[in-house]
Amino acid sequence: MAAGPDSRGTKGSRPWLRTKSIEESIRDTDDPERGLHKSLSALDLTVFGVGVVIGTGIFVLTGQIAKTMAGPSVAISFAVAGVVCALAALCYAEFASTVPVAGSAYTFAYASLGELPAWIIGWDLVLELALGCAVVAVGWSGYVRSLLDNAGWHLPQWLSGTTDETGFGFDLLACVLVLLLTAILVLGMKLSARVTTIVVAVKVGVVLIVIIAGAFFVTADNYRPFIPPAKGDAAGGSGLAAPLIQLMSGYEPTTFGVMGIFTAAAVVFFAFIGFDVVATAAEETRNPQRDMPRGILSSLVICTMLYVAVSIVVTGMRKYTELTVQAPLADAFKAVGEPFWAGLISFGAAVGLTTVCMILLLGQSRVFFAMSRDGLLPRFFSRVHPRFQTPYRSTMLLGVLVAVVAGFTSISELAELVNIGTLFAFVVVALGVVILRRTRPDLPRAFRTPLVPVLPIASVLASLWLMINLPTETWLRFAAWMVLGVVIYGVYGRRHSTMHQRAE
């Protein structure tokens, strides 16, 4: 017999595959003590998307990949990566408008795949977003210290994230940033949206100024050849540092040429990571059926256009072979005798990372909150603030933890865990769209992903392709996180799940 709207979906003797109906998920948001305040518009969601995607990568990755992988055709690589993201974005748009509940891919997986798969993706997202936020905070600290040094203000070495002669080091700026953003998130989603809007306006303004100013220094000869001849193999490393596909098949990605465009697309794709965090705010959106698809898709379109424009400018200002790897766009302006614009780029990067950090904090706290409300984590953390109606307990807990990690740990080598975790979420959401179309064809859908199941399957394949291009050691770390998550689910989550308690 087909499962009805209120079915617990226990899957017979497999309670770990029980699903939580969409109707139940939506009913849970009506609890005044555990429901979030609806205050966001399509514009707010678009700002969140742009705020988390456009960061330091736009000033660094564009020129870096042009020099090492694609030449001027890096603009095409960004367009290809944008298309891959669009496949996932269309799947997210259907789910987020149909299931307007906090939690993003976690909530979607619970409605379609079952409790254990939902736990795994939720566990993955919380850890990946926390790690991503810490990495970004450390990067922000480096930019700000550079600006302070230029102004003649110098922090002590032991407060700059590097160890002194006693062996102690603490990144004060990174820690303070995370704590400050945590306080803003606790004080209300609308306040967070206003702060983000102001900062994103400054950041996008800087990007547009750089594009317009750089256009005056473009030389047509720098675009020749637009697609450089193929040249050797991509530097993929060896052993566990090599991409998984290289160990599996012996295939080694090439640089430059037509195939270099797609090799570069696999790398620049990660500049787009974060737009899916918009879906975590579905429960706090006034009209999620209309505004969620608009916010997700419009932010992705804006970011793709900005990335393509910057890559065209930087490769037109300076020959791709002469670009530097660390700060290509800033150095391109210095090379044409414009140090002011180089300084503006550093300022824009620092401002940009502020919003990236805030929205990653926002995303992880909402996923944690949703898991807590379902009993898979202690329900103590699913209480909302009586005045601000924000998940203040989960926000404060995660904010303090991330602040400590950012202050004491050098974790740049773990940054790729953020990438594989996000791609894994893309796969889960795309599969969930196909499954839910079959199990709940009667469900009202304000936005429908086109060409189902072809488009979701294409999204799965594209995400898997990018995943197997990541280093093997990243896969091993990811597997370790997942094993730990399964153990915690078996020890705590399975028995305390609200679905388990209702079924007894």
Side-chain angles (χ1 to χ4, degrees):
M1 185 171 62
D6 293 310
S7 171
R8 301 294 189 268
T10 57
K11 308 286 185 183
S13 60
R14 295 173 293 172
W16 50 276
L17 284 180
R18 55 190 161 220
T19 56
K20 182 178 182 181
S21 75
I22 292 171
E23 290 78 5
E24 287 177 297
S25 294
I26 294 175
R27 276 200 299 269
D28 284 347
T29 67
D30 295 331
D31 185 342
E33 294 184 340
R34 291 186 165 86
L36 301 176
H37 180 58
K38 298 182 182 296
S39 61
L40 300 180
S41 64
L43 177 61
D44 294 325
L45 297 173
T46 302
V47 168
F48 278 143
V50 174
V52 72
V53 172
I54 300 297
T56 187
I58 198 167
F59 301 115
V60 177
L61 199 60
T62 47
Q64 185 183 89
I65 301 304
K67 178 180 176 66
T68 60
M69 288 189 176
S73 63
V74 69
I76 302 176
S77 300
F78 273 106
V80 170
V83 170
V84 174
C85 287
L87 297 176
L90 289 168
C91 297
Y92 269 90
E94 174 169 328
F95 255 129
S97 60
T98 305
V99 193
V101 178
S104 184
Y106 158 75
T107 300
F108 307 156
Y110 213 157
S112 56
L113 300 177
E115 185 171 278
L116 179 58
W119 162 266
I120 290 174
I121 191 62
W123 174 251
D124 163 59
L125 284 176
V126 169
L127 291 174
E128 305 312 333
L129 292 174
L131 182 61
C133 181
V135 171
V136 171
V138 171
W140 176 88
S141 174
Y143 274 105
V144 174
R145 285 200 307 273
S146 176
L147 292 173
L148 291 176
D149 289 343
N150 292 338
W153 300 340
H154 307 285
L155 283 176
Q157 181 181 348
W158 65 277
L159 290 179
S160 301
T162 55
T163 56
D164 58 12
E165 59 276 2
T166 66
F168 179 81
F170 181 76
D171 196 327
L172 177 65
L173 292 176
C175 179
V176 169
L177 173 68
V178 174
L179 293 177
L180 178 61
L181 296 179
T182 298
I184 293 174
L185 289 172
V186 168
L187 292 176
M189 178 59 94
K190 196 60 183 177
L191 174 62
S192 304
R194 287 172 180 167
V195 171
T196 303
T197 299
I198 294 170
V199 177
V200 168
V202 173
K203 173 169 62 173
V204 173
V206 170
V207 173
L208 292 175
I209 290 172
V210 167
I211 292 171
I212 295 170
F216 289 97
F217 301 100
V218 168
T219 302
D221 287 343
N222 290 334
Y223 293 127
R224 301 188 184 99
F226 191 75
I227 302 178
K231 186 173 66 175
D233 299 325
S238 59
L240 294 180
L244 181 63
I245 188 174
Q246 186 172 326
L247 294 185
M248 291 169 56
S249 64
Y251 166 77
E252 296 183 12
T254 58
T255 58
F256 303 106
V258 174
M259 291 307 298
I261 294 174
F262 296 98
T263 301
V267 178
V268 302
F269 169 84
F270 303 125
F272 291 90
I273 283 181
F275 78 87
D276 54 305
V277 176
V278 175
T280 64
E283 189 174 328
E284 294 159 279
T285 303
R286 288 195 294 264
N287 189 345
Q289 290 74 20
R290 180 194 67 188
D291 293 342
M292 264 290 149
R294 291 181 179 180
I296 292 173
L297 296 173
S298 60
S299 62
L300 183 58
V301 169
I302 292 171
C303 293
T304 303
M305 292 173 61
L306 290 176
Y307 275 125
V308 170
V310 169
S311 60
I312 290 174
V313 168
V314 70
T315 54
M317 290 179 65
R318 202 171 189 195
K319 193 72 173 179
Y320 74 93
T321 54
E322 299 174 357
L323 291 169
T324 61
V325 174
Q326 298 301 322
L329 192 52
D331 289 343
F333 275 103
K334 290 179 182 178
V336 296
E338 296 291 337
F340 169 78
W341 299 112
L344 186 64
I345 288 169
S346 296
F347 171 74
V351 171
L353 291 179
T354 305
T355 57
V356 175
C357 198
M358 173 183 280
I359 298 165
L360 290 175
L361 275 174
L362 164 72
Q364 62 157 350
S365 65
R366 269 51 180 181
V367 174
F368 193 96
F369 167 78
M371 296 174 72
S372 173
R373 186 164 59 187
D374 289 333
L376 298 177
L377 290 170
R379 282 175 63 82
F380 170 84
F381 295 106
S382 64
R383 295 276 184 178
V384 299
H385 194 281
R387 177 182 175 186
F388 305 122
Q389 290 188 284
T390 56
Y392 69 108
R393 291 176 176 174
S394 58
T395 302
M396 292 170 64
L397 170 69
L398 294 170
V400 170
L401 290 177
V402 171
V404 171
V405 171
F408 283 106
T409 312
S410 176
I411 50 178
S412 58
E413 69 277 6
L414 299 181
E416 283 177 328
L417 274 173
V418 181
N419 302 334
I420 194 171
T422 304
L423 286 164
F424 180 54
F426 286 4
V427 171
V428 169
V429 171
L431 291 175
V433 167
V434 176
I435 292 171
L436 206 61
R437 285 284 187 96
R438 289 183 175 273
T439 58
R440 294 294 307 276
D442 59 315
L443 194 67
R445 291 171 170 85
F447 179 89
R448 298 177 69 88
T449 303
L451 301 176
V452 174
V454 175
L455 190 146
I457 291 174
S459 179
V460 169
L461 294 176
S463 298
L464 289 175
W465 169 255
L466 296 179
M467 289 174 75
I468 62 177
N469 275 278
L470 289 171
T472 305
E473 58 190 359
T474 298
W475 278 85
L476 295 177
R477 293 188 183 111
F478 180 68
W481 281 129
M482 294 301 99
V483 170
L484 178 60
V486 170
V487 171
I488 293 176
Y489 172 79
V491 172
Y492 182 89
R494 184 178 61 86
R495 292 183 294 108
H496 292 84
S497 162
T498 56
M499 292 295 294
H500 174 73
Q501 294 173 355
R502 291 171 185 172
E504 287 186 335

